[in-house]
Amino acid sequence: MVGFGLLEEWHPATGRLVSWHAHAGSVARAARAPRHPVPPSHQQEQYLATAYRHREAAFRFSGLCVVTTAVPGVLDRHAMTRAVNAFLRRHDTFHTWFDRAPDGTFGRHLVDPAHLEFVAVDHGLADGNRVRAHVRQSTPGPFEWHCFTFGAIEHGQSTTLYLAIDHLHTDGVGQYISCFELAHLYLRETGRNIGTLTRPAGFLAYCARERAASAELTRTSPGVRRWLELLRGNDGEFPAFPLDLGRGHETCHRSAHRTIDLFGEATALRFEKICREHGADFLGGSLAAAALTERELLDSDYYFALSPLGTRSTLAERVSVGWYVSLVPVAFPIGATAGFTRTLAAAQRAYEHGRALAAVSPHRVLELAADDPDIAARPGWTAPMISYVDARDCAGNGYFPGTPTGVYADRAATEEVLLWITRLPTTTTLSAVYPDTPTAHRAVDRYLHTLRTTCHTATQR
Protein backbone atom coordinates (compact mmCIF):
# COMPACT_ATOMS: atom_id res chain seq x y z
CA MET A 1 0.00 0.00 0.00
CA VAL A 2 1.36 3.41 -0.99
CA GLY A 3 0.13 6.58 0.68
CA PHE A 4 0.32 9.95 -1.04
CA GLY A 5 -0.46 13.40 0.25
CA LEU A 6 0.75 16.37 2.22
CA LEU A 7 3.09 15.87 5.14
CA GLU A 8 0.33 16.50 7.68
CA GLU A 9 -1.50 13.51 6.19
CA TRP A 10 1.35 11.21 7.25
CA HIS A 11 0.44 9.64 10.60
CA PRO A 12 3.30 7.44 11.78
CA ALA A 13 2.61 5.41 14.88
CA THR A 14 4.25 6.48 18.12
CA GLY A 15 7.71 5.05 18.63
CA ARG A 16 11.30 5.84 19.46
CA LEU A 17 12.60 8.39 16.95
CA VAL A 18 16.17 8.18 15.68
CA SER A 19 17.29 10.54 12.92
CA TRP A 20 20.41 10.83 10.76
CA HIS A 21 21.96 14.20 9.93
CA ALA A 22 25.18 15.42 8.36
CA HIS A 23 28.13 15.35 10.73
CA ALA A 24 29.40 18.85 11.56
CA GLY A 25 32.75 18.00 9.97
CA SER A 26 31.05 16.99 6.73
CA VAL A 27 29.07 20.23 6.67
CA ALA A 28 32.27 22.24 7.15
CA ARG A 29 34.08 20.36 4.37
CA ALA A 30 31.10 20.72 2.05
CA ALA A 31 31.11 24.49 2.59
CA ARG A 32 34.67 24.55 1.24
CA ALA A 33 33.85 22.42 -1.81
CA PRO A 34 35.06 24.01 -5.05
CA ARG A 35 32.86 25.25 -7.87
CA HIS A 36 32.12 22.62 -10.50
CA PRO A 37 31.67 23.49 -14.18
CA VAL A 38 28.41 21.59 -14.63
CA PRO A 39 25.48 23.92 -13.90
CA PRO A 40 22.15 22.79 -12.45
CA SER A 41 19.62 21.36 -14.88
CA HIS A 42 17.17 23.86 -16.37
CA GLN A 43 14.46 22.55 -14.05
CA GLN A 44 16.71 22.89 -11.00
CA GLU A 45 17.81 26.38 -12.01
CA GLN A 46 14.24 27.67 -12.22
CA TYR A 47 13.40 25.97 -8.93
CA LEU A 48 16.37 27.64 -7.24
CA ALA A 49 15.52 31.04 -8.74
CA THR A 50 11.93 30.81 -7.50
CA ALA A 51 13.03 29.68 -4.04
CA TYR A 52 15.53 32.54 -3.86
CA ARG A 53 12.92 35.15 -4.81
CA HIS A 54 10.67 33.92 -2.01
CA ARG A 55 13.36 33.20 0.57
CA GLU A 56 11.70 35.62 3.01
CA ALA A 57 8.29 33.92 2.78
CA ALA A 58 6.54 33.19 6.08
CA PHE A 59 6.68 29.45 5.35
CA ARG A 60 9.02 27.06 3.58
CA PHE A 61 8.47 28.01 -0.04
CA SER A 62 10.57 25.23 -1.57
CA GLY A 63 9.28 21.69 -1.76
CA LEU A 64 10.10 19.16 0.95
CA CYS A 65 9.46 15.56 -0.07
CA VAL A 66 9.21 12.74 2.45
CA VAL A 67 9.27 9.07 1.47
CA THR A 68 8.53 6.38 4.03
CA THR A 69 8.71 2.63 4.14
CA ALA A 70 8.95 -0.11 6.75
CA VAL A 71 11.27 -2.97 7.64
CA PRO A 72 10.60 -5.88 9.98
CA GLY A 73 12.17 -6.35 13.38
CA VAL A 74 13.98 -4.21 15.91
CA LEU A 75 16.10 -1.44 14.40
CA ASP A 76 19.83 -2.05 14.07
CA ARG A 77 21.10 1.53 14.30
CA HIS A 78 24.63 0.75 13.17
CA ALA A 79 23.29 -1.06 10.10
CA MET A 80 21.03 1.89 9.35
CA THR A 81 23.94 4.33 9.63
CA ARG A 82 25.89 2.27 7.10
CA ALA A 83 22.82 2.08 4.84
CA VAL A 84 22.23 5.85 4.94
CA ASN A 85 25.84 6.64 4.04
CA ALA A 86 25.89 3.97 1.32
CA PHE A 87 22.70 5.41 -0.17
CA LEU A 88 24.10 8.95 -0.25
CA ARG A 89 27.37 7.85 -1.81
CA ARG A 90 25.54 5.91 -4.53
CA HIS A 91 23.79 9.00 -5.93
CA ASP A 92 25.91 11.98 -6.93
CA THR A 93 23.05 14.47 -6.77
CA PHE A 94 23.64 14.37 -3.00
CA HIS A 95 27.27 15.42 -3.49
CA THR A 96 26.41 18.89 -4.74
CA TRP A 97 25.08 22.20 -3.51
CA PHE A 98 24.35 25.49 -5.24
CA ASP A 99 24.88 29.16 -4.60
CA ARG A 100 23.84 32.33 -6.38
CA ALA A 101 26.39 34.48 -8.15
CA PRO A 102 26.10 38.30 -8.30
CA ASP A 103 24.80 38.03 -11.88
CA GLY A 104 21.85 35.92 -10.66
CA THR A 105 23.08 32.58 -12.03
CA PHE A 106 23.38 29.49 -9.85
CA GLY A 107 26.59 27.50 -9.65
CA ARG A 108 27.28 23.98 -8.46
CA HIS A 109 29.79 22.97 -5.79
CA LEU A 110 30.94 19.35 -5.72
CA VAL A 111 31.49 17.61 -2.37
CA ASP A 112 33.96 14.73 -2.14
CA PRO A 113 31.79 11.70 -1.23
CA ALA A 114 34.65 10.35 0.87
CA HIS A 115 34.00 13.25 3.27
CA LEU A 116 30.29 12.54 3.46
CA GLU A 117 29.14 11.20 6.83
CA PHE A 118 25.70 11.15 8.44
CA VAL A 119 25.33 10.24 12.09
CA ALA A 120 22.45 9.07 14.29
CA VAL A 121 20.70 11.17 16.94
CA ASP A 122 18.27 9.60 19.43
CA HIS A 123 15.20 11.76 20.19
CA GLY A 124 13.33 9.39 22.48
CA LEU A 125 9.64 8.55 22.27
CA ALA A 126 7.74 10.60 19.67
CA ASP A 127 4.20 10.61 18.35
CA GLY A 128 3.24 11.52 14.79
CA ASN A 129 2.96 15.25 15.52
CA ARG A 130 6.45 15.38 16.99
CA VAL A 131 7.91 13.34 14.13
CA ARG A 132 6.42 15.65 11.48
CA ALA A 133 7.59 18.76 13.36
CA HIS A 134 11.08 17.29 13.65
CA VAL A 135 11.24 16.51 9.91
CA ARG A 136 10.22 20.06 8.99
CA GLN A 137 12.53 21.76 11.46
CA SER A 138 15.62 19.64 10.92
CA THR A 139 15.75 19.39 7.11
CA PRO A 140 17.51 22.41 5.58
CA GLY A 141 16.35 24.23 2.45
CA PRO A 142 17.80 24.05 -1.07
CA PHE A 143 20.69 26.46 -0.49
CA GLU A 144 22.39 24.20 2.04
CA TRP A 145 24.26 21.10 0.96
CA HIS A 146 22.67 18.79 3.52
CA CYS A 147 19.04 19.51 2.52
CA PHE A 148 18.10 15.88 3.23
CA THR A 149 17.70 13.93 6.46
CA PHE A 150 16.79 10.37 7.41
CA GLY A 151 14.93 8.81 10.28
CA ALA A 152 13.59 5.65 11.85
CA ILE A 153 10.67 5.19 14.22
CA GLU A 154 11.06 2.04 16.28
CA HIS A 155 7.85 0.14 17.00
CA GLY A 156 9.26 -3.03 18.53
CA GLN A 157 8.58 -5.69 15.92
CA SER A 158 8.78 -3.28 12.98
CA THR A 159 10.47 0.01 12.11
CA THR A 160 9.30 2.88 9.93
CA LEU A 161 12.09 4.43 7.84
CA TYR A 162 11.91 7.83 6.18
CA LEU A 163 13.91 10.10 3.93
CA ALA A 164 13.14 13.84 3.89
CA ILE A 165 14.65 15.56 0.87
CA ASP A 166 14.28 18.92 -0.78
CA HIS A 167 12.64 18.68 -4.21
CA LEU A 168 15.89 20.03 -5.67
CA HIS A 169 17.30 16.49 -5.66
CA THR A 170 14.38 14.27 -6.57
CA ASP A 171 11.45 13.64 -8.86
CA GLY A 172 8.55 11.21 -8.41
CA VAL A 173 10.46 8.22 -9.74
CA GLY A 174 13.43 9.12 -7.56
CA GLN A 175 11.18 8.96 -4.52
CA TYR A 176 10.07 5.42 -5.34
CA ILE A 177 13.69 4.44 -5.94
CA SER A 178 14.60 5.87 -2.54
CA CYS A 179 11.88 3.89 -0.76
CA PHE A 180 13.14 0.63 -2.16
CA GLU A 181 16.85 1.33 -1.83
CA LEU A 182 16.73 2.44 1.79
CA ALA A 183 14.97 -0.77 2.77
CA HIS A 184 17.23 -2.89 0.55
CA LEU A 185 20.48 -1.36 1.82
CA TYR A 186 19.37 -1.60 5.44
CA LEU A 187 18.38 -5.26 5.12
CA ARG A 188 21.64 -6.00 3.34
CA GLU A 189 23.59 -4.34 6.16
CA THR A 190 21.79 -6.56 8.68
CA GLY A 191 23.14 -9.61 6.86
CA ARG A 192 20.15 -10.53 4.68
CA ASN A 193 21.08 -12.09 1.34
CA ILE A 194 18.74 -10.08 -0.88
CA GLY A 195 20.82 -9.57 -4.00
CA THR A 196 22.70 -6.60 -5.35
CA LEU A 197 21.63 -3.21 -6.63
CA THR A 198 22.40 -1.94 -10.12
CA ARG A 199 25.00 0.81 -10.11
CA PRO A 200 23.18 4.12 -10.82
CA ALA A 201 24.13 6.61 -13.48
CA GLY A 202 25.46 10.00 -12.45
CA PHE A 203 22.96 12.87 -12.42
CA LEU A 204 25.78 15.36 -13.09
CA ALA A 205 26.49 13.64 -16.41
CA TYR A 206 22.82 14.07 -17.31
CA CYS A 207 22.91 17.78 -16.44
CA ALA A 208 26.03 18.23 -18.57
CA ARG A 209 24.37 16.55 -21.58
CA GLU A 210 21.19 18.58 -21.16
CA ARG A 211 23.06 21.88 -20.99
CA ALA A 212 25.33 21.03 -23.94
CA ALA A 213 22.31 20.25 -26.13
CA SER A 214 20.46 23.33 -24.91
CA ALA A 215 23.39 25.60 -25.69
CA GLU A 216 23.12 24.60 -29.36
CA LEU A 217 19.54 25.90 -29.64
CA THR A 218 18.71 29.17 -31.39
CA ARG A 219 15.50 31.06 -32.20
CA THR A 220 15.44 29.26 -35.55
CA SER A 221 15.77 25.73 -34.12
CA PRO A 222 12.67 23.70 -35.07
CA GLY A 223 11.82 22.81 -31.47
CA VAL A 224 12.11 26.43 -30.32
CA ARG A 225 9.91 27.59 -33.22
CA ARG A 226 7.27 25.02 -32.28
CA TRP A 227 7.21 26.12 -28.64
CA LEU A 228 6.84 29.74 -29.73
CA GLU A 229 3.98 28.85 -32.09
CA LEU A 230 2.11 27.20 -29.22
CA LEU A 231 2.67 30.15 -26.89
CA ARG A 232 1.62 32.71 -29.52
CA GLY A 233 -1.53 30.68 -30.11
CA ASN A 234 -2.29 31.00 -26.40
CA ASP A 235 -1.89 34.80 -26.16
CA GLY A 236 1.81 34.40 -25.49
CA GLU A 237 1.22 32.50 -22.27
CA PHE A 238 1.61 28.99 -20.90
CA PRO A 239 -1.68 27.15 -20.24
CA ALA A 240 -3.79 27.75 -17.14
CA PHE A 241 -6.22 25.60 -15.16
CA PRO A 242 -9.69 25.81 -16.76
CA LEU A 243 -11.51 26.91 -13.60
CA ASP A 244 -11.06 29.88 -11.25
CA LEU A 245 -8.76 29.09 -8.33
CA GLY A 246 -9.50 32.21 -6.27
CA ARG A 247 -5.86 33.19 -5.97
CA GLY A 248 -6.49 36.92 -5.52
CA HIS A 249 -3.46 39.18 -5.36
CA GLU A 250 -1.36 37.28 -2.81
CA THR A 251 2.20 36.59 -3.89
CA CYS A 252 2.00 32.89 -3.02
CA HIS A 253 -0.38 30.32 -1.59
CA ARG A 254 0.31 27.21 0.42
CA SER A 255 -0.66 23.85 -1.01
CA ALA A 256 -3.78 21.78 -0.56
CA HIS A 257 -4.09 18.17 -1.68
CA ARG A 258 -6.64 15.56 -2.70
CA THR A 259 -6.12 11.98 -3.78
CA ILE A 260 -8.94 9.77 -5.03
CA ASP A 261 -9.02 6.25 -6.40
CA LEU A 262 -9.32 6.35 -10.16
CA PHE A 263 -9.34 2.66 -11.07
CA GLY A 264 -9.01 -0.73 -9.52
CA GLU A 265 -6.55 -2.85 -11.50
CA ALA A 266 -9.27 -4.71 -13.43
CA THR A 267 -10.76 -1.42 -14.64
CA ALA A 268 -7.30 0.00 -15.34
CA LEU A 269 -6.58 -2.98 -17.58
CA ARG A 270 -9.87 -2.39 -19.43
CA PHE A 271 -9.01 1.28 -19.87
CA GLU A 272 -5.55 0.40 -21.14
CA LYS A 273 -6.98 -2.21 -23.56
CA ILE A 274 -9.33 0.36 -25.10
CA CYS A 275 -6.45 2.80 -25.46
CA ARG A 276 -4.23 0.18 -27.13
CA GLU A 277 -6.99 -0.82 -29.53
CA HIS A 278 -7.11 2.77 -30.76
CA GLY A 279 -3.38 3.36 -31.04
CA ALA A 280 -2.82 5.07 -27.69
CA ASP A 281 -1.21 4.22 -24.37
CA PHE A 282 -2.44 4.79 -20.81
CA LEU A 283 -1.10 8.35 -20.71
CA GLY A 284 -2.65 9.13 -24.08
CA GLY A 285 -5.97 7.94 -22.70
CA SER A 286 -5.53 10.10 -19.61
CA LEU A 287 -4.85 13.17 -21.78
CA ALA A 288 -7.88 12.42 -23.94
CA ALA A 289 -10.04 12.22 -20.80
CA ALA A 290 -8.55 15.49 -19.52
CA ALA A 291 -9.34 17.19 -22.83
CA LEU A 292 -12.94 15.95 -22.75
CA THR A 293 -13.17 17.14 -19.15
CA GLU A 294 -12.21 20.66 -20.22
CA ARG A 295 -14.73 20.52 -23.07
CA GLU A 296 -17.46 19.63 -20.60
CA LEU A 297 -16.44 22.26 -18.05
CA LEU A 298 -15.69 25.11 -20.44
CA ASP A 299 -17.14 24.07 -23.79
CA SER A 300 -13.55 24.37 -25.00
CA ASP A 301 -12.55 23.32 -28.52
CA TYR A 302 -8.79 23.24 -27.86
CA TYR A 303 -6.67 21.50 -25.24
CA PHE A 304 -3.26 22.84 -24.20
CA ALA A 305 -1.39 21.37 -21.25
CA LEU A 306 2.10 20.55 -20.04
CA SER A 307 3.16 17.08 -19.07
CA PRO A 308 6.35 16.18 -17.18
CA LEU A 309 8.33 13.67 -19.18
CA GLY A 310 10.74 11.36 -17.43
CA THR A 311 14.08 11.51 -19.21
CA ARG A 312 15.78 8.43 -17.77
CA SER A 313 16.93 6.57 -20.87
CA THR A 314 19.20 3.76 -19.63
CA LEU A 315 18.97 1.02 -17.03
CA ALA A 316 21.53 2.87 -14.90
CA GLU A 317 19.45 6.07 -15.07
CA ARG A 318 16.30 4.14 -14.16
CA VAL A 319 17.86 3.46 -10.75
CA SER A 320 19.36 6.93 -10.31
CA VAL A 321 17.97 9.51 -7.88
CA GLY A 322 17.77 13.01 -9.37
CA TRP A 323 15.39 15.35 -11.18
CA TYR A 324 15.23 13.61 -14.58
CA VAL A 325 12.29 15.56 -15.96
CA SER A 326 11.50 17.73 -18.94
CA LEU A 327 8.23 19.56 -19.57
CA VAL A 328 6.58 18.87 -22.92
CA PRO A 329 3.52 20.52 -24.49
CA VAL A 330 0.35 18.62 -25.37
CA ALA A 331 -1.94 20.62 -27.66
CA PHE A 332 -4.75 19.48 -29.95
CA PRO A 333 -8.29 20.47 -31.05
CA ILE A 334 -11.25 18.82 -29.32
CA GLY A 335 -14.10 17.82 -31.62
CA ALA A 336 -17.46 19.27 -30.60
CA THR A 337 -19.09 15.81 -30.63
CA ALA A 338 -16.06 13.52 -30.55
CA GLY A 339 -16.20 10.78 -27.95
CA PHE A 340 -13.36 9.17 -26.05
CA THR A 341 -12.14 6.78 -28.74
CA ARG A 342 -12.01 9.48 -31.44
CA THR A 343 -10.19 11.84 -29.09
CA LEU A 344 -7.61 9.18 -28.25
CA ALA A 345 -5.82 9.44 -31.58
CA ALA A 346 -5.51 13.23 -31.36
CA ALA A 347 -4.29 13.07 -27.76
CA GLN A 348 -1.69 10.40 -28.47
CA ARG A 349 -0.45 12.18 -31.59
CA ALA A 350 -0.16 15.46 -29.68
CA TYR A 351 1.78 13.77 -26.90
CA GLU A 352 4.17 12.14 -29.36
CA HIS A 353 4.75 15.52 -31.00
CA GLY A 354 5.37 16.93 -27.53
CA ARG A 355 7.86 14.17 -26.73
CA ALA A 356 9.87 15.28 -29.73
CA LEU A 357 10.49 18.52 -27.82
CA ALA A 358 11.86 16.80 -24.71
CA ALA A 359 15.33 18.22 -25.30
CA VAL A 360 13.96 21.76 -25.78
CA SER A 361 13.40 23.19 -22.30
CA PRO A 362 10.64 25.83 -22.19
CA HIS A 363 12.89 27.72 -19.77
CA ARG A 364 15.57 27.90 -22.48
CA VAL A 365 12.90 28.94 -25.02
CA LEU A 366 11.99 31.95 -22.87
CA GLU A 367 15.65 32.93 -22.64
CA LEU A 368 15.87 32.92 -26.43
CA ALA A 369 12.58 34.82 -26.81
CA ALA A 370 13.24 37.44 -24.13
CA ASP A 371 12.79 40.31 -26.63
CA ASP A 372 9.82 38.81 -28.51
CA PRO A 373 6.82 41.16 -28.06
CA ASP A 374 4.38 38.32 -28.76
CA ILE A 375 5.56 36.26 -25.79
CA ALA A 376 4.04 37.46 -22.52
CA ALA A 377 5.31 34.60 -20.34
CA ARG A 378 8.30 35.44 -18.19
CA PRO A 379 10.73 33.49 -16.00
CA GLY A 380 8.97 32.30 -12.87
CA TRP A 381 5.85 31.33 -14.82
CA THR A 382 3.54 28.65 -13.48
CA ALA A 383 1.27 26.28 -15.36
CA PRO A 384 -0.91 23.28 -14.58
CA MET A 385 0.65 19.91 -15.29
CA ILE A 386 -0.69 16.41 -15.74
CA SER A 387 1.70 13.58 -14.99
CA TYR A 388 1.47 9.82 -15.31
CA VAL A 389 3.73 7.59 -13.21
CA ASP A 390 3.66 3.83 -13.68
CA ALA A 391 5.18 2.79 -10.37
CA ARG A 392 4.98 -0.84 -11.48
CA ASP A 393 8.06 -0.10 -13.59
CA CYS A 394 10.12 1.35 -10.75
CA ALA A 395 12.99 -0.52 -9.16
CA GLY A 396 11.66 -2.67 -6.34
CA ASN A 397 8.02 -2.30 -7.43
CA GLY A 398 7.23 -5.74 -6.06
CA TYR A 399 8.22 -4.47 -2.62
CA PHE A 400 5.32 -2.01 -2.35
CA PRO A 401 2.06 -4.05 -2.23
CA GLY A 402 2.63 -5.67 1.15
CA THR A 403 4.64 -2.86 2.70
CA PRO A 404 3.24 0.40 4.10
CA THR A 405 4.99 2.98 1.95
CA GLY A 406 4.31 6.68 1.55
CA VAL A 407 5.23 9.72 -0.53
CA TYR A 408 4.39 13.04 1.13
CA ALA A 409 5.12 16.71 0.49
CA ASP A 410 5.22 19.68 2.82
CA ARG A 411 2.77 22.51 2.15
CA ALA A 412 5.08 24.49 -0.11
CA ALA A 413 3.79 27.20 -2.45
CA THR A 414 1.48 26.20 -5.31
CA GLU A 415 -0.12 28.63 -7.74
CA GLU A 416 -1.53 26.13 -10.22
CA VAL A 417 -3.05 22.65 -10.23
CA LEU A 418 -0.61 19.75 -10.49
CA LEU A 419 -2.17 16.39 -11.33
CA TRP A 420 -0.64 12.94 -10.90
CA ILE A 421 -2.12 9.71 -12.19
CA THR A 422 -0.17 6.99 -10.40
CA ARG A 423 -0.48 3.37 -11.42
CA LEU A 424 0.37 0.82 -8.76
CA PRO A 425 0.07 -2.98 -8.91
CA THR A 426 -3.45 -3.04 -7.42
CA THR A 427 -4.88 0.43 -7.93
CA THR A 428 -4.54 3.65 -9.93
CA THR A 429 -4.91 6.94 -8.06
CA LEU A 430 -5.61 10.50 -9.16
CA SER A 431 -3.95 13.20 -7.06
CA ALA A 432 -4.05 16.98 -7.18
CA VAL A 433 -1.96 19.61 -5.43
CA TYR A 434 -3.39 23.11 -5.72
CA PRO A 435 -3.65 26.53 -4.00
CA ASP A 436 -5.34 26.31 -0.62
CA THR A 437 -8.25 28.67 -1.27
CA PRO A 438 -11.99 27.97 -0.85
CA THR A 439 -12.57 28.61 -4.55
CA ALA A 440 -9.78 26.22 -5.56
CA HIS A 441 -11.15 23.48 -3.30
CA ARG A 442 -14.52 23.69 -5.07
CA ALA A 443 -12.97 23.93 -8.52
CA VAL A 444 -10.62 20.99 -8.05
CA ASP A 445 -13.38 18.85 -6.55
CA ARG A 446 -15.52 19.54 -9.62
CA TYR A 447 -12.61 18.86 -11.98
CA LEU A 448 -11.56 15.57 -10.34
CA HIS A 449 -15.15 14.30 -10.26
CA THR A 450 -15.62 15.13 -13.95
CA LEU A 451 -12.30 13.58 -14.97
CA ARG A 452 -12.97 10.40 -13.00
CA THR A 453 -16.45 10.09 -14.54
CA THR A 454 -15.01 10.59 -18.02
CA CYS A 455 -12.42 7.85 -17.46
CA HIS A 456 -14.98 5.38 -16.13
CA THR A 457 -17.42 6.12 -18.92
CA ALA A 458 -14.67 5.22 -21.38
CA THR A 459 -14.31 1.73 -19.86
CA GLN A 460 -18.03 0.96 -20.23
CA ARG A 461 -18.01 0.90 -24.02
Side-chain angles (χ1 to χ4, degrees):
M1 180 181 72
V2 177
F4 181 92
L6 295 177
L7 186 54
E8 60 235 45
E9 296 171 294
W10 176 38
H11 300 289
T14 297
R16 191 174 192 89
L17 172 63
V18 182
S19 63
W20 281 261
H21 306 266
H23 186 279
S26 292
V27 175
R29 292 188 189 97
R32 298 192 296 270
R35 273 281 185 125
H36 190 274
V38 175
S41 70
H42 280 295
Q43 194 80 351
Q44 286 181 314
E45 183 178 54
Q46 293 305 310
Y47 176 83
L48 287 165
T50 302
Y52 185 83
R53 283 197 303 272
H54 295 277
R55 62 193 182 280
E56 303 300 332
F59 59 93
R60 183 182 179 128
F61 190 91
S62 63
L64 176 61
C65 307
V66 178
V67 293
T68 73
T69 188
V71 292
V74 177
L75 177 69
D76 182 332
R77 299 186 190 185
H78 296 296
M80 185 61 182
T81 298
R82 294 191 298 271
V84 164
N85 287 301
F87 174 79
L88 292 174
R89 291 178 180 129
R90 275 175 59 81
H91 301 284
D92 67 0
T93 190
F94 298 119
H95 308 162
T96 64
W97 59 272
F98 301 94
D99 63 1
R100 184 177 183 273
D103 64 358
T105 61
F106 293 89
R108 182 191 304 273
H109 293 256
L110 185 62
V111 180
D112 184 345
H115 296 158
L116 185 156
E117 182 184 6
F118 270 50
V119 293
V121 180
D122 191 327
H123 302 278
L125 199 64
D127 61 12
N129 290 332
R130 186 179 170 207
V131 170
R132 289 191 299 273
H134 170 78
V135 169
R136 287 190 177 105
Q137 294 163 8
S138 66
T139 308
F143 295 106
E144 296 187 59
W145 159 62
H146 52 303
C147 57
F148 34 85
T149 60
F150 301 78
I153 310 163
E154 301 176 4
H155 307 298
Q157 296 307 307
S158 68
T159 299
T160 298
L161 307 181
Y162 72 78
L163 160 61
I165 175 173
D166 194 275
H167 195 359
L168 177 70
H169 289 296
T170 188
D171 56 18
V173 172
Q175 292 163 28
Y176 286 105
I177 293 168
S178 300
C179 274
F180 166 67
E181 280 203 7
L182 273 178
H184 185 284
L185 290 168
Y186 170 75
L187 294 173
R188 187 184 71 183
E189 291 294 339
T190 61
R192 313 284 181 90
N193 184 15
I194 55 175
T196 59
L197 294 170
T198 301
R199 183 176 180 177
F203 184 63
L204 269 70
Y206 167 80
C207 293
R209 292 197 309 272
E210 180 200 59
R211 288 294 189 150
S214 189
E216 297 295 320
L217 297 173
T218 69
R219 286 276 290 272
T220 61
S221 299
V224 174
R225 291 204 311 268
R226 177 55 180 156
W227 265 112
L228 293 177
E229 287 171 5
L230 290 171
L231 293 177
R232 290 187 185 111
N234 196 52
D235 296 324
E237 297 282 6
F238 287 95
F241 189 67
L243 301 175
D244 179 25
L245 298 174
R247 290 178 299 188
H249 300 292
E250 295 180 40
T251 56
C252 53
H253 296 80
R254 299 198 74 173
S255 304
H257 157 258
R258 278 203 66 193
T259 289
I260 63 174
D261 287 338
L262 183 61
F263 295 132
E265 181 59 8
T267 309
L269 290 171
R270 258 196 326 275
F271 182 83
E272 184 173 45
K273 181 174 182 291
I274 291 167
C275 294
R276 298 291 184 193
E277 289 172 348
H278 292 83
D281 57 20
F282 202 101
L283 175 55
S286 302
L287 293 167
L292 293 173
T293 295
E294 290 207 8
R295 187 182 70 184
E296 179 171 339
L297 294 174
L298 285 185
D299 196 25
S300 174
D301 61 359
Y302 182 70
Y303 181 70
F304 182 23
L306 301 185
S307 183
L309 176 68
T311 53
R312 291 172 172 84
S313 60
T314 66
L315 176 60
E317 286 184 346
R318 287 171 64 85
V319 296
S320 174
V321 177
W323 202 343
Y324 289 88
V325 171
S326 178
L327 293 172
V328 299
V330 182
F332 58 94
I334 314 168
T337 60
F340 179 73
T341 54
R342 281 184 57 192
T343 307
L344 271 173
Q348 188 67 37
R349 186 165 55 249
Y351 180 66
E352 294 303 327
H353 289 164
R355 282 177 60 93
L357 301 180
V360 184
S361 165
H363 305 296
R364 174 61 173 155
V365 170
L366 285 194
E367 290 177 2
L368 293 169
D371 60 351
D372 189 327
D374 295 328
I375 303 301
R378 291 292 178 262
W381 54 271
T382 60
M385 290 180 283
I386 180 167
S387 176
Y388 172 64
V389 177
D390 190 343
R392 302 174 308 166
D393 291 340
C394 295
N397 63 80
Y399 178 77
F400 297 131
T403 303
T405 301
V407 179
Y408 302 95
D410 203 12
R411 293 185 63 201
T414 302
E415 295 306 304
E416 267 292 354
V417 178
L418 313 179
L419 295 171
W420 287 270
I421 295 173
T422 305
R423 193 163 181 195
L424 299 161
T426 59
T427 187
T428 298
T429 61
L430 173 59
S431 300
V433 171
Y434 54 94
D436 188 9
T437 71
T439 301
H441 280 281
R442 292 190 295 270
V444 169
D445 184 71
R446 182 183 173 198
Y447 183 93
L448 294 182
H449 174 77
T450 305
L451 179 55
R452 185 178 188 276
T453 300
T454 302
C455 288
H456 274 264
T457 301
T459 67
Q460 295 166 9
R461 301 177 185 280

